[in-house]
């Protein structure tokens, strides 16, 4: 759908999320005119897991979860170095309660998580429970030097409606006393935190093609059906960890999870202008898929599984074809025949450049490190013509700008938890 000026509606909405603020919210409400469901008065039956999203998200024709299209991530800082007070906790809890009354817990309402980094827990004399590892971030390959992303907390807002993420954000900033027809409490996150950084983005068919007028991606190169800038579908059901897999099983934070957040810069000129379809398919999936034309279009024909179990092993592919696939490398990292990571990443035009905010959930940050090391393909690069980055999956096209590690507590501890909650 386009308006009389020829501006695509979906393009306008994603751009409004990127801009943010009350004016953008008003513009979205005028353009979307959405009927967004409100949260119930009694939310005592909401799941203990903040990250329990899949049961309230739509699925495609194959049964894959369809991620929320619009995203906002706020990096939050607490003033000083002292632990927060009981009043601070009550304020944060009231602010979150307000937006959950305004928006139902669903893809067409609002989904959110509030997570905490190592610097937040450093202000307490007690350490996190034994066995709960929350390391400070650092480089995870020999060719990267990311900045440490270390806010005290990270708020992730997601919805299929641009006006929902913007409305929730403005309510939590204390600038909108009523959102979605629901009066908000006299409490805001910004009464306790300062907003240190704001990141935005999108995922879903058509949105990357609508936003190819930024650096890092050639104009008109992205398929109109592609949900991500690199042109292929992601998030196949059998290539994602389940929410049970990524949940912390025991201890005071049982029901929580850990979150890794990387800011990635995409440089796709060669991907689209020099690499042909065979090379893109081989590097994203595996050379066997490229040889057999296994992937049609953006990959909807693959159903719920990328199918890389049928590829040659990485060593053989590297020796015989001189290239290994990204999915081929990471698919080898499994436990009980299930991947270790649940990805909830999305594309971005932050800073005027094509990017990816890679957000993954896992029971332990060590699971992310293991998967990321497999993505490096260091072993195949040492024993074949595959380079450290060239023809080594998609490494050549991705630059890691910053990394951060966070704990997503269970719902009952999401408002400024102590390291040893009762």
């Amino acid at each position: 759908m386009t308006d009389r000026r020829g501006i695509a509606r979906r393009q306008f909405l994603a751009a409004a999320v990127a801009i943010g603020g009350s004016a953008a919210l008003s513009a979205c409400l005028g353009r979307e005119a959405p009927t967004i469901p409100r949260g119930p008065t009694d939310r005592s039956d909401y799941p203990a897991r903040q990250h329990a999203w899949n049961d309230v998200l739509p699925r495609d024709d194959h049964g894959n979860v369809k991620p929320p299209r619009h995203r906002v991530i706020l990096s939050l800082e607490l003033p000083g170095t002292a632990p927060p007070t009981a009043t601070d906790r009550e304020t944060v809890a009231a602010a979150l309660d307000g937006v959950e009354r305004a928006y139902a817990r669903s893809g067409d309402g609002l989904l959110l998580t509030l997570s905490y980094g190592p610097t937040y827990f450093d202000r307490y004399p007690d350490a996190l429970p034994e066995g709960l590892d929350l390391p400070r971030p650092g480089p995870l390959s020999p060719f990267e030097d990311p900045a440490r992303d270390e806010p005290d907390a990270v708020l992730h807002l997601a919805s299929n409606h641009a006006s929902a993420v913007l409305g929730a954000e403005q309510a939590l900033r204390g600038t909108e006393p009523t959102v979605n027809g629901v009066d908000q409490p006299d409490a805001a996150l910004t009464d306790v935190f300062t907003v240190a950084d704001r990141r935005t983005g999108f995922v879903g068919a058509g949105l990357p093609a609508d936003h190819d007028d930024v650096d890092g991606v050639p104009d008109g190169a992205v398929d109109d059906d592609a949900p991500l800038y690199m042109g292929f579908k992601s998030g196949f059901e059998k290539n994602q960890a389940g929410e049970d897999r990524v949940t912390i099983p025991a201890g005071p934070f049982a029901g929580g999870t850990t979150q890794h957040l990387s800011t990635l810069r995409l440089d796709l000129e060669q991907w689209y202008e020099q690499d042909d379809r065979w090379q893109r398919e081989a590097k994203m999936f595996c050379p066997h898929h490229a040889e057999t034309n296994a992937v049609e279009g953006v990959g909807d024909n693959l159903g719920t599984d990328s199918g890389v179990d049928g590829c040659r092993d990485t060593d053989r592919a590297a020796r015989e074809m001189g290239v290994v696939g990204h999915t081929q490398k990471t698919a080898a990292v499994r436990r009980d025949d299930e991947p270790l990571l649940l990805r909830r990443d999305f594309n971005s035009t932050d800073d005027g450049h094509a990017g990816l905010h890679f957000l993954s959930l896992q029971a332990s940050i060590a699971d992310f490190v293991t998967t990321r090391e497999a993505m490096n393909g260091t072993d195949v690069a040492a024993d074949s013509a595959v380079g450290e980055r060239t023809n080594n999956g998609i490494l050549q096209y991705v630059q890691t700008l910053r990394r951060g590690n966070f704990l997503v507590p269970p719902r009952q501890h999401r408002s400024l938890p102590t390291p040893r909650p009762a």
Side-chain angles (χ1 to χ4, degrees):
M1 179 193 302
T2 59
D3 68 7
R4 59 192 173 193
R5 293 171 297 169
I7 300 173
R9 175 178 176 272
R10 64 191 184 193
Q11 184 181 26
F12 172 88
L13 296 172
V17 171
I19 294 169
S22 295
L25 171 60
S26 296
C28 280
L29 289 171
R31 188 67 66 92
E32 281 187 315
T35 301
I36 300 178
R38 297 172 182 168
T41 302
D42 180 7
R43 294 177 299 286
S44 60
D45 62 346
Y46 272 22
R49 304 173 185 179
Q50 286 195 71
H51 61 285
W53 291 11
N54 288 354
D55 65 323
V56 290
L57 286 173
R59 294 181 178 255
D60 65 18
D61 292 341
H62 302 288
N64 301 302
V65 170
K66 296 178 69 173
R69 292 169 65 83
H70 299 287
R71 310 294 182 90
V72 171
I73 285 180
L74 299 181
S75 297
L76 306 171
E77 298 280 4
L78 285 170
T81 58
T85 66
T87 300
D88 293 333
R89 289 191 180 88
E90 292 170 1
T91 298
V92 170
L96 295 174
D97 183 73
V99 296
E100 288 190 332
R101 285 188 290 108
Y103 301 103
R105 188 184 72 89
S106 70
D108 285 330
L110 180 74
L111 294 166
L112 66 85
T113 60
L114 183 58
S115 59
Y116 297 86
T119 58
Y120 169 80
F121 291 106
D122 284 347
R123 66 187 62 236
Y124 291 92
D126 294 332
L128 286 165
E130 185 176 354
L132 202 168
D133 188 27
L134 191 64
R136 298 187 71 183
L140 294 176
S141 72
F143 46 80
E144 69 175 22
D145 185 24
R148 284 180 169 176
D149 195 9
E150 296 188 291
D152 289 319
V154 165
L155 177 71
H156 181 196
L157 302 173
S159 178
N160 286 324
H161 292 293
S163 57
V165 292
L166 288 172
E169 179 188 358
Q170 294 309 114
L172 292 169
R173 287 178 180 264
T175 61
E176 289 291 335
T178 302
V179 290
N180 203 27
V182 177
D183 292 338
Q184 295 298 287
D186 186 19
L189 283 187
T190 49
D191 294 339
V192 177
F193 292 103
T194 59
V195 178
D197 183 51
R198 181 178 189 269
R199 288 169 250 187
T200 67
F202 47 83
V203 58
L207 287 170
D210 285 343
H211 294 83
D212 63 0
D213 56 343
V214 292
D215 293 339
V217 57
D219 288 351
V222 184
D223 192 297
D224 286 340
D225 294 328
L228 292 165
Y229 271 133
M230 297 198 78
F232 293 109
K233 189 172 181 174
S234 183
F236 296 100
E237 180 78 5
K238 294 182 180 178
N239 298 107
Q240 288 267 65
E243 289 175 339
D244 288 345
R245 163 68 71 193
V246 304
T247 298
I248 297 169
F253 291 104
T257 187
T258 70
Q259 173 180 288
H260 179 84
L261 179 61
S262 297
T263 298
L264 308 179
R265 187 184 186 97
L266 302 179
D267 292 299
L268 303 180
E269 285 84 2
Q270 178 179 324
W271 180 255
Y272 282 113
E273 295 181 343
Q274 296 181 39
D275 293 357
D276 58 21
R277 170 72 187 201
W278 190 100
Q279 291 170 311
R280 292 196 295 273
E281 197 170 320
K283 292 174 184 178
M284 179 59 74
F285 295 97
C286 69
H288 178 265
H289 275 23
E291 286 185 304
T292 58
N293 297 314
V295 184
E296 299 173 8
V298 302
D300 283 327
N301 67 297
L302 297 174
T304 59
D305 189 344
S306 64
V308 294
D309 288 346
C311 300
R312 303 179 181 94
D313 65 62
T314 54
D315 290 339
R316 182 181 172 190
R319 289 194 311 270
E320 295 181 357
M321 306 300 295
V323 60
V324 292
H326 166 72
T327 309
Q328 181 182 20
K329 291 181 294 179
T330 57
V333 184
R334 305 174 78 87
R335 187 175 298 133
D336 300 328
D337 200 34
E338 186 178 2
L340 305 184
L341 309 187
L342 173 56
R343 293 178 50 178
R344 286 183 171 154
D345 47 287
F346 53 94
N347 279 144
S348 176
T349 59
D350 291 347
D351 302 320
H353 199 103
L356 180 78
H357 293 306
F358 183 96
L359 191 153
S360 70
L361 305 177
Q362 51 281 311
S364 167
I365 294 296
D367 289 339
F368 171 79
V369 173
T370 297
T371 304
R372 182 61 181 81
E373 289 175 345
M375 178 181 166
N376 290 339
T378 305
D379 51 346
V380 296
D383 299 326
S384 72
V386 169
E388 183 179 59
R389 298 182 69 192
T390 57
N391 295 321
N392 196 338
I394 60 173
L395 295 175
Q396 179 180 355
Y397 311 96
V398 178
Q399 178 188 2
T400 305
L401 300 182
R402 52 185 175 176
R403 293 190 181 282
N405 296 324
F406 304 91
L407 171 67
V408 184
R411 183 181 174 82
Q412 67 268 33
H413 300 312
R414 70 180 178 178
S415 299
L416 301 170
T418 67
R420 302 285 179 127

